[in-house]
Each structure stands twice: as structure tokens, then as C-alpha cells.
Amino acid sequence: EPDDILFTVTTSYQNRPDLLAYDLYGDVGLWWVFAQRNPSVIQDPVFDLQTGVQIYLPKLSSMKKTLGI
């Protein structure tokens, strides 16, 4: 999406997509969104989330609209 945010993974989120999902969306269960949105970067949603990797993050408003949450 054009309004997605380009994010560089920090050490606090390395191998922790659940924490990133919680901090962004308030729900640890939405960790899978990162792999879905970045298939060329993230094959394994845990071990490919490394410090320095850049991924696109959907905004919360987009997530609510798309997923109906």
C-alpha cells in the first residue's frame, strides 16, 4: 500500500515479530502480517526478522479496514 511505513528492524524486535505486532497493533497474534506484506524479505517470520532488515509495515488504520478489526 502507498501509505505503508518503511521500518528498519531494531535489536528490540530481532526474532520477535510478536512484540512488534503488539507495539504497532496491540495484538501479538498479528505477527504474520509482516511476512505477508514482505514476502521477498521474510520467509521465516521469526528468524528473518533481524536487526537492520527493512520491511514495510501496514498502518493500524489499514489493518482495521482490511481485516475488519
Side-chain angles (χ1 to χ4, degrees), residues 20-50:
L20 182 56
Y22 182 78
D23 287 348
L24 290 174
Y25 310 126
D27 185 342
V28 296
L30 292 175
W31 58 267
W32 58 270
V33 169
F34 311 129
Q36 282 285 306
R37 177 59 185 90
N38 300 278
S40 63
V41 178
I42 300 175
Q43 301 297 312
D44 182 307
V46 174
F47 295 109
D48 288 345
L49 203 64
Q50 296 293 315

Side-chain angles (χ1 to χ4, degrees), residues 2-20:
D3 64 343
D4 285 355
I5 300 163
L6 183 60
F7 175 76
T8 302
V9 177
T10 60
T11 55
S12 59
Y13 297 119
Q14 181 169 310
N15 299 331
R16 295 302 307 265
D18 57 330
L19 293 180
L20 182 56

